[in-house]
DNA sequence: AGAGGATTGCTTGATGTTAAACTGGTACAA
DNA sequence: TTGTACCAGTTTAACATCAAGCAATCCTCT
C-alpha cells in the first residue's frame, strides 16, 4: 500500500490512484456508517432494512445481491433482525426453497425514522464536491468499476 | 443502497455518487486481490509484507496504522505470518512494550517475487482510465476523503 | 411418466476482522 | 516510592466472508 516503490512514472501513478480510491471509499464509508452504531445496526442490517423499505419484501438471495453480501451472511443478518423483531421470515409454500423476508411494523418504523438522517449525512459528505465534480466522479467510478472488458 | 428513493435531485445525486464510489472501490479491490488467494495470503498479510519490504522493520502498532487494520487484528495477522516463517517478532529490550516485526529471508523472497505482478495487475485495472482521468480521480478522492473539515 | 443428475436457495463451519476489555510495561508527579 | 495515567499488545465476542453441505425443484432422456 505504500508509495515507496521505485517503478515507472506510469506504475507509480496507478498505484497512487488505487490507494487514494481505496482510502477515500473507506473513510467516507466510515463516517457515513458511524451513526448506525447508535441504532445498534450493522451496515448489512441497515442495508437489508433499507432494501425492504424501498423495494418491498424479497427472498434472502435477492437481498444478498442487492446489498452485495454473501448468502451465508444473509442467514445471520436476518436471524439477528428477526430476534429484534424488525423483519419476518416466511417460507414460500409454492417453492419451499425460498424464504420471503419482510419488514415488521417495528422495522418499518425504524427505517422510516432513520432514513432521512442517513440521506442528510450522505449529502453532507458528498456535498464537499460540486455538482459537476460529483458527475465527474460518478463517471470515472463507473468506468473503473466495469473494468477492462465492460 | 437502492436508488428507489424519492428525495430532491440533490439528495438523489449524492446517494448515487456514494453508491457508485463504494461499488467501484469494492470491485476494483476484488479484482486486484484475486491473485493473493493463490499465494494463500490475505489482504492484510500482503499489506504487512509489502510495508515491511518497502519501509523496513516496524513495530506492530505502526504496521496496523500503515495498512489500516486494528491492533487486535495485527496480533493474528503476524501470528499467521510467523507460523509460515515469513516474518519474525522481536521484543524491544529498551522498551519491552514494543514488538519489532521484520521480514525473514523467505518473506523477503516471496514479496520480492510477487510485487512486480501486483503492480502489473494494478496498472491493468487503473489503466482503463487515461492519465488525465487518473489525475482527476485522484484529486476528487483526496478532496472527498478529507471530508468537510479538511 | 419417471429416474437421476444438475441447479438453486439456505445453512453450517472454518477463518479473518473489529471493538472493547484486559494485561503488562513505562512515565511522571506528588 | 508510589499512585496514576498512558501505551503496546493480547484476548474475547460478535459479525463478515468463502466453501462445503443439505434440501427442494427442475431438466433431460428413455
Amino acid at each position: 500500500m505504500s508509495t515507496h516503490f521505485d517503478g515507472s512514472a506510469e506504475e507509480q501513478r496507478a498505484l497512487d490512484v488505487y490507494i487514494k480510491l481505496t482510502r477515500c471509499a473507506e473513510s467516507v464509508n466510515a463516517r457515513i456508517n458511524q451513526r448506525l452504531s447508535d441504532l445498534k445496526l450493522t451496515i448489512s442490517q441497515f442495508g437489508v432494512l433499507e432494501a425492504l423499505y424501498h423495494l418491498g419484501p424479497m427472498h434472502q438471495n435477492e437481498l444478498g445481491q442487492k446489498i452485495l453480501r454473501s448468502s451465508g451472511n444473509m442467514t445471520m443478518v436476518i436471524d439477528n433482525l428477526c430476534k429484534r423483531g424488525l423483519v419476518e421470515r416466511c417460507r414460500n409454500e409454492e417453492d419451499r426453497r425460498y424464504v420471503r423476508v419482510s419488514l415488521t411494523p417495528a422495522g418499518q418504523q425504524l427505517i422510516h425514522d432513520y432514513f432521512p438522517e442517513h440521506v442528510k449525512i450522505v449529502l453532507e459528505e458528498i456535498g464537499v464536491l460540486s455538482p459537476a465534480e460529483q458527475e465527474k466522479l460518478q463517471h470515472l467510478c463507473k468506468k473503473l468499476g466495469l473494468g477492462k472488458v465492460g
Side-chain angles (χ1 to χ4, degrees), chain A:
Chain A
M1 284 292 213
S2 106
T3 57
H4 294 63
F5 154 69
D6 128 52
S8 73
E10 196 186 5
E11 291 170 336
Q12 294 263 12
R13 190 184 51 224
L15 283 174
D16 215 33
V17 169
Y18 169 51
I19 295 172
K20 289 258 185 347
L21 172 67
T22 301
R23 303 236 159 148
C24 167
E26 275 173 5
S27 52
V28 167
N29 261 305
R31 289 194 293 265
I32 286 178
N33 294 316
Q34 206 169 359
R35 291 296 188 88
L36 290 179
S37 60
D38 298 341
L39 300 176
K40 310 283 180 204
L41 287 178
T42 67
I43 297 170
S44 299
Q45 290 174 342
F46 171 69
V48 165
L49 294 179
E50 202 250 315
L52 294 176
Y53 183 59
H54 286 115
L55 302 173
M58 269 180 269
H59 56 87
Q60 288 194 191
N61 243 11
E62 216 173 348
L63 267 172
Q65 284 165 10
K66 292 288 177 202
I67 69 168
L68 302 181
R69 288 294 184 281
S70 66
S71 71
N73 187 227
M74 293 312 297
T75 297
M76 167 175 273
V77 170
I78 291 170
D79 277 354
N80 289 336
L81 289 172
C82 278
K83 280 180 205 154
R84 284 178 60 182
L86 298 174
V87 305
E88 283 172 335
R89 272 197 178 96
C90 170
R91 183 70 68 170
N92 181 332
E93 286 308 324
E94 286 166 17
D95 186 336
R96 298 191 47 75
R97 288 173 302 182
Y98 289 77
V99 173
R100 179 188 174 86
V101 182
S102 54
L103 288 174
T104 62
Q108 177 87 19
Q109 185 68 47
L110 185 145
I111 189 69
H112 175 80
D113 290 346
Y114 176 67
F115 195 70
E117 188 183 339
H118 175 74
V119 174
K120 181 165 159 281
I121 294 169
V122 172
L123 192 53
E124 276 172 17
E125 277 296 323
I126 304 296
V128 172
L129 301 180
S130 73
E133 286 175 327
Q134 291 181 34
E135 298 290 349
K136 187 72 183 170
L137 178 59
Q138 202 169 356
H139 170 71
L140 294 173
C141 283
K142 198 168 169 184
K143 190 166 177 183
L144 197 51
L146 289 173
K148 275 175 298 186
V149 183

